[in-house]
Amino acid sequence: MATAATCESASVRRSWDMQSAAIVAFVCVASKFPHRVILLKMSREEFLHLEHVNVARGDNVVLHDVALRVAVGQHIAILGPNGCGKSTLIKTITCECYPLVEPQTVKLIYGRERWDVNALRKHLGVVNADLPGRQTRKCTGLEAVVSGFFSSSAIWPNLHATDDMRAAAQEALRRLEATHLESKIVGEMSAGEQRRVMIGRALVHQPQMLLLDEPSNALDLFAQHELRDTLRRLAREGIGLIMVTHHLPDIIPEIARVVMMRDGRIVADGAKAELLTVVRLGSLFGVQLELHQRDGYYHVA
């Protein structure tokens, strides 16, 4: 009987020198798709390596035999309908959920099995789908970004923010072209401005990878456009993006790889141009649709 594992699962022993090795990974998407083999040429450090990962929530197994490898700096979109397991996969990557202990299970982040969640945040920035909570809404934009150093909702009296932290927060806002939000109260910002501040919070440690969960949620059309421009700039700067979404226009042109999920399984993993088709998307979402492409973006009707 499998039991929940921690990030230090003893099922795998891999050395830290993976980060300096050239990795060529042949990944079979699933045994039911033996014809679909993808070559990932990972000449850089490997960010994520999952093999035979099963995750339970309560009494139900909600992720089934997941295999996924991502190199540092790579841009990928994880696409699927609501309830397909995307959120659980996010929590597995961020060490908030843990795989069942099974002999063949592999879960490595930067080649390591064990991570303190706060330490991981220095390497992986996470932008949740939700807009800022009640306490964060009372902060200024700069305070909200600085709070990322403490993984807190605000800068509480027992927390000491240094000048270096404030300088790093200012730099994060500068990269996002959002320095005008430093002194503005978060609760008085538009949804698009709040999202930009939350991205700044995730960037404050200057991580190599950024994970975004449904980033365009609650944003109007103008804010969505600004968000995508922001993400394109970050991608061109070399930050790897993991975009988790069910909304095709979130997949910016710089994202070349798409992972499709349904019913807790990865059902396809490959080049964007090969997977974003009428047939594939219709099967994934269970609807008939029309697909249009313009300026590197995909839209459905």
Side-chain angles (χ1 to χ4, degrees), residues 3-300:
T3 58
T6 62
C7 287
E8 60 265 33
S9 167
S11 61
V12 184
R13 290 291 180 265
R14 297 291 178 90
S15 64
W16 177 244
D17 62 7
M18 286 180 67
Q19 65 178 332
S20 59
I23 302 167
V24 178
F26 291 87
V27 181
C28 258
V29 173
S31 58
K32 64 176 68 175
F33 299 105
H35 62 286
R36 185 70 179 150
V37 180
I38 298 155
L39 174 61
L40 300 179
K41 295 181 179 178
M42 297 183 180
S43 60
R44 293 169 291 181
E45 179 182 358
E46 190 172 41
F47 161 63
L48 178 69
H49 181 185
L50 303 178
E51 295 284 351
H52 303 294
V53 167
N54 299 282
V55 176
R57 305 290 294 270
D59 295 329
N60 299 317
V61 177
V62 293
L63 286 187
H64 305 273
D65 199 29
V66 167
L68 182 63
R69 299 181 82 155
V70 181
V72 171
Q74 189 175 28
H75 311 310
I76 76 169
I78 299 174
L79 182 68
N82 290 335
C84 72
K86 300 190 302 294
S87 295
T88 301
L89 179 59
I90 290 171
K91 291 181 181 296
T92 302
I93 294 172
T94 59
C95 294
E96 296 172 75
C97 287
Y98 309 109
L100 301 177
V101 176
E102 296 171 315
Q104 70 274 32
T105 298
V106 176
K107 181 192 173 188
L108 298 174
I109 301 174
Y110 287 108
R112 291 173 51 179
E113 298 171 352
R114 293 181 293 181
W115 278 99
D116 173 79
V117 173
N118 290 330
L120 180 59
R121 291 292 186 271
K122 297 177 182 179
H123 304 273
L124 171 66
V126 179
V127 182
N128 294 316
D130 298 330
L131 291 173
R134 182 168 58 89
Q135 294 301 327
T136 305
R137 291 173 63 85
K138 300 176 183 178
C139 300
T140 66
L142 184 62
E143 290 169 341
V145 175
V146 170
S147 71
F149 281 105
F150 307 104
S151 298
S152 62
S153 58
I155 303 177
W156 302 106
N158 62 311
L159 302 176
H160 175 61
T162 66
D163 290 341
D164 286 344
M165 290 178 180
R166 292 188 181 89
Q170 289 172 326
E171 173 60 17
L173 289 171
R174 185 199 63 77
R175 293 174 70 184
L176 299 172
E177 299 181 357
T179 55
H180 61 288
L181 300 178
E182 284 187 15
S183 59
K184 189 172 183 178
I185 300 299
V186 173
E188 297 174 359
M189 295 179 188
S190 68
E193 290 173 335
Q194 290 179 0
R195 184 73 76 210
R196 195 176 295 193
V197 166
M198 292 298 99
I199 294 174
R201 187 179 189 274
L203 291 175
V204 77
H205 287 292
Q206 298 186 350
Q208 295 172 303
M209 300 294 294
L210 189 63
L211 191 158
L212 301 113
D213 182 12
E214 306 286 0
S216 63
N217 272 6
L219 303 187
D220 62 26
L221 291 177
F222 178 77
Q224 290 178 33
H225 177 77
E226 283 197 323
L227 170 68
R228 290 163 194 152
D229 281 350
T230 295
L231 296 180
R232 295 194 71 181
R233 286 198 307 273
L234 295 177
R236 289 192 290 265
E237 290 176 9
I239 295 178
L241 302 180
I242 302 177
M243 173 75 67
V244 181
T245 186
H246 63 267
H247 191 46
L248 279 185
D250 284 346
I251 303 176
I252 60 176
E254 286 73 13
I255 294 176
R257 177 183 171 196
V258 172
V259 174
M260 290 181 165
M261 292 190 68
R262 189 175 180 88
D263 299 326
R265 300 179 186 274
I266 291 178
V267 296
D269 182 347
K272 176 171 62 176
E274 296 178 8
L275 295 187
L276 297 189
T277 65
V278 168
V279 173
R280 290 272 195 174
L281 292 169
S283 174
L284 182 67
F285 289 98
V287 295
Q288 292 185 336
L289 52 83
E290 294 181 6
L291 182 65
H292 305 280
Q293 184 180 358
R294 181 179 178 183
D295 299 330
Y297 289 92
Y298 289 77
H299 306 269
V300 295

